[in-house]
Amino acid sequence: MSENNAENLRSPLVRGEGFGDGLSDGLGDGLMETHVLPNVTLAMLSPDYWVSDARCTKDESANRPVFQQHIREHATSMTTLVDVWQSLGQASEGNGTETAISPASDIEYRLGVRAQVPPVPPLPNGDEVLYNADGQPFTDGFWDALKAKIENAHPVDEATGLTRADSFIPVQPGFSVTRANVRRFPLAKPGFRLATDREFDRFQDTALHTFEPVLIALQTVDKRWYYVISETYDGWVSADDIARATTAEFVKWSAITKHSEGPGFLVPLASNVYTQVAPYDEAVSGKRLEFGAYLPLCEDQHGMGNQSIAGNFSIYLPVRNSDGWLEVKQALVPRLASFSVGFRAYTRRAVVESAFALLGERYGWGDRCGNHDCSSLIMDSYRTLGIQLPRDAHHQEEALPNLLPIPKEASFAERTELLKSLSPGDPLYMPGHTMMYLGYRAGHHYVIHDFAGYSEPDGESLRSVPVNEVMVSTLDIQLTSGKTYLEALTSAASLFAD
């Protein structure tokens, strides 16, 4: 996630670099003016511009497990949930699937789970005041009620009589049944640092993918929120978005990408993929299937609800039943929609194409509104290739292989030369931000990234220019400090062997 140039949101976009004399929009003599960022041409907004050479199509699938193992060994923020669940032992079948785990501090060191006791909200002080969606500061009463709500949360199975203060906390396996927001606290209301801000919701941390496995540690007294542990993050999720699962279900559906035999799975490669309308089953009708989700294919590919399979794939979708438990139902998705059957080929071209599939998508802090921010763009682009990265930029930087540190004292010219050793698809890092490298053209290094904006000279000062989308830019654009993005870089990495 990135806060770079957050203040850019407070000023309107007043200039874009025009491309040529305009482009025909196909409507007679009408012209469509096209705006791009400085030193970016319309041709550069296509992945083909950057990955046309043969080296970018070299399939390195054999290196996928090697790099994934390296990431897991070096990441301090990732967990393989099925391994953890099985290591806990003594999980019973049927609906009694809770397994006792020791308190969070012990979990963290003994099992490698990043679970922490859900945080109690910091009470506002003179240095930090958060504002609601109406631009009003949250009151002491708000914070006190939220603190009590978290402190009174308890394990999902109330019959145990255990609380979060006990020596062992029973957890419950489950799955997200949709693209589900992971919140800092158990509430849907946003919180902003500025009374005028509507972008950076400080209560939004990330989002789960559809059919993503979780361990449920706690629920609020009103049963509307679960505190969950996912593979890459912990936090509060609306209970409506999580279905509890048996041990057998948890092990089965968590492993859909690991079996070489069987029907396989689909990976959506666009943000506008939906299931077919299903008049006889509203639970799976017209559901958005987000970019980068892993969706199992049905063993028996047949139609449903009086619709043929001819133009479709048949997939399994998770549904939360009226009792809060997992049901897996059949759904149809258009065969010609943007999918990969299984992981994409492990190539530089594929990961760059995945990033470009989100070009122009609105920036979403912490995956807000079902969109992406800087680090989830990189994470999900590589997810389509079968590589799971940590969620946040600084955790990615510490875990990725082939890390190339960029000395803080390196000059602009030295940095320019150093980056010439990179290739398309390599992640770049700076404090609070990550980007995907594209190439060097006409004296400029180019990246694709999801960012708030940049600054440009305005007389003797700098003026903020909002972008707030996935877009191609040079590294010559400036931060609010006056530094260029190039001068702020701390490292680059590569998930390819070339």
Side-chain angles (χ1 to χ4, degrees):
M1 288 183 269
S2 171
E3 296 180 58
N4 288 308
N5 297 316
E7 64 269 40
N8 294 332
L9 304 172
R10 299 197 291 271
S11 62
L13 179 61
V14 297
R15 181 181 67 81
E17 294 289 334
F19 178 76
D21 296 320
L23 300 174
S24 171
D25 61 5
L27 300 175
D29 295 329
L31 295 177
M32 177 181 65
E33 185 179 8
T34 302
H35 294 276
V36 290
L37 300 188
N39 297 304
V40 176
T41 67
L42 191 62
M44 293 178 178
L45 304 187
S46 167
D48 291 340
Y49 184 90
W50 306 102
V51 290
S52 58
D53 64 85
R55 184 172 56 88
C56 290
T57 61
K58 179 183 177 183
D59 192 339
E60 296 192 26
S61 295
N63 293 322
R64 182 186 288 120
V66 176
F67 288 136
Q68 187 65 79
Q69 181 178 353
H70 180 281
I71 292 167
R72 292 195 182 281
E73 289 176 350
H74 291 80
T76 59
S77 60
M78 290 178 62
T79 303
T80 304
L81 291 188
V82 172
D83 291 347
V84 169
W85 178 254
Q86 293 177 333
S87 72
L88 294 172
Q90 307 305 314
S92 61
E93 295 294 342
N95 284 357
T97 57
E98 287 85 357
T99 293
I101 60 176
S102 53
S105 58
D106 191 16
I107 300 170
E108 184 174 358
Y109 294 106
R110 183 165 62 87
L111 297 173
V113 182
R114 305 150 339 284
Q116 299 177 359
V117 173
V120 173
L123 295 178
N125 54 48
D127 298 325
E128 183 178 16
V129 176
L130 294 183
Y131 299 86
N132 62 25
D134 296 323
Q136 299 299 313
F138 288 114
T139 64
D140 290 346
F142 166 85
W143 291 109
D144 290 343
L146 187 54
K147 179 179 179 180
K149 187 175 185 178
I150 295 173
E151 290 179 338
N152 291 329
H154 54 76
V156 176
D157 187 357
E158 299 178 74
T160 65
L162 297 174
T163 70
R164 57 187 290 176
D166 285 288
S167 299
F168 289 88
I169 305 170
V171 294
Q172 164 75 55
F175 292 92
S176 54
V177 297
T178 186
R179 179 76 158 160
N181 288 331
V182 179
R183 307 286 291 169
R184 185 73 51 87
F185 308 123
L187 80 169
K189 294 179 180 179
F192 305 103
R193 285 184 179 167
L194 299 174
T196 55
D197 183 19
R198 294 299 177 268
E199 294 283 337
F200 296 91
D201 176 5
R202 299 297 158 173
F203 300 157
Q204 175 74 15
D205 280 338
T206 187
L208 301 172
H209 280 292
T210 302
F211 231 148
E212 186 166 343
V214 298
L215 296 178
I216 308 167
L218 297 170
Q219 69 175 348
T220 53
V221 172
D222 60 12
K223 301 182 180 180
R224 295 178 61 186
W225 292 89
Y226 288 151
Y227 188 82
V228 306
I229 305 162
S230 76
E231 187 169 6
T232 59
Y233 229 89
D234 311 326
W236 293 96
V237 179
S238 171
D240 289 340
D241 294 338
I242 301 293
R244 299 165 68 181
T246 66
T247 295
E249 290 170 335
F250 188 66
V251 172
K252 174 183 177 180
W253 296 111
S254 294
I256 59 172
T257 64
K258 298 177 174 62
H259 300 309
S260 57
E261 301 178 356
F265 56 96
L266 297 182
V267 184
L269 299 179
S271 58
N272 59 347
V273 178
Y274 292 82
T275 63
Q276 295 282 20
V277 172
Y280 298 97
D281 194 346
E282 186 178 343
V284 296
S285 179
K287 299 299 181 183
R288 183 189 181 198
L289 307 175
E290 76 278 0
F291 176 89
Y294 297 156
L295 306 168
L297 284 161
C298 296
E299 296 88 347
D300 183 10
Q301 290 288 306
H302 61 80
M304 62 172 285
N306 281 337
Q307 182 170 359
S308 166
I309 191 63
N312 299 280
F313 286 113
S314 178
I315 64 170
Y316 289 118
L317 272 189
V319 173
R320 173 187 165 98
N321 69 17
S322 58
D323 295 323
W325 288 86
L326 177 69
E327 288 187 15
V328 178
K329 295 191 171 189
Q330 179 192 9
L332 297 181
V333 293
R335 185 174 290 271
L336 295 183
S338 185
F339 287 105
S340 171
V341 180
F343 298 132
R344 300 197 72 173
Y346 198 92
T347 67
R348 290 186 177 278
R349 181 180 184 88
V351 75
V352 171
E353 286 179 341
S354 286
F356 270 86
L358 298 176
L359 188 78
E361 180 191 79
R362 185 66 155 89
Y363 179 87
W365 166 269
D367 297 339
R368 193 178 181 204
C369 302
N371 292 345
H372 293 78
D373 59 25
C374 67
S375 51
S376 65
L377 170 68
I378 303 301
M379 180 182 73
D380 278 355
S381 294
Y382 273 94
R383 198 173 195 267
T384 67
L385 273 63
I387 287 287
Q388 180 63 62
L389 303 184
R391 171 58 179 84
D392 289 340
H394 66 287
H395 287 138
Q396 291 178 12
E397 186 176 15
E398 72 184 7
L400 264 56
N402 303 315
L403 195 69
L404 175 66
I406 299 175
K408 185 176 182 180
E409 64 276 9
S411 67
F412 187 95
E414 290 170 335
R415 288 166 179 265
T416 298
E417 287 302 310
L418 188 62
L419 263 60
K420 289 180 181 179
S421 66
L422 302 182
S423 298
D426 290 341
L428 290 169
Y429 294 94
M430 56 188 276
H433 192 51
T434 179
M435 301 159 278
M436 182 179 291
Y437 186 74
L438 294 176
Y440 185 72
R441 301 287 190 279
H444 304 284
H445 285 288
Y446 287 85
V447 293
I448 182 171
H449 53 144
D450 203 346
F451 67 120
Y454 61 97
S455 297
E456 64 178 9
D458 183 17
E460 297 183 357
S461 60
L462 291 174
R463 185 182 68 85
S464 295
V465 181
V467 176
N468 288 308
E469 65 183 9
V470 178
M471 186 45 60
V472 175
S473 79
T474 71
L475 288 174
D476 302 335
I477 58 174
Q478 292 177 287
L479 301 164
T480 54
S481 65
K483 271 188 176 183
T484 64
Y485 276 60
L486 178 67
E487 292 169 311
L489 292 176
T490 55
S491 70
S494 178
L495 287 101
F496 294 89
D498 57 7

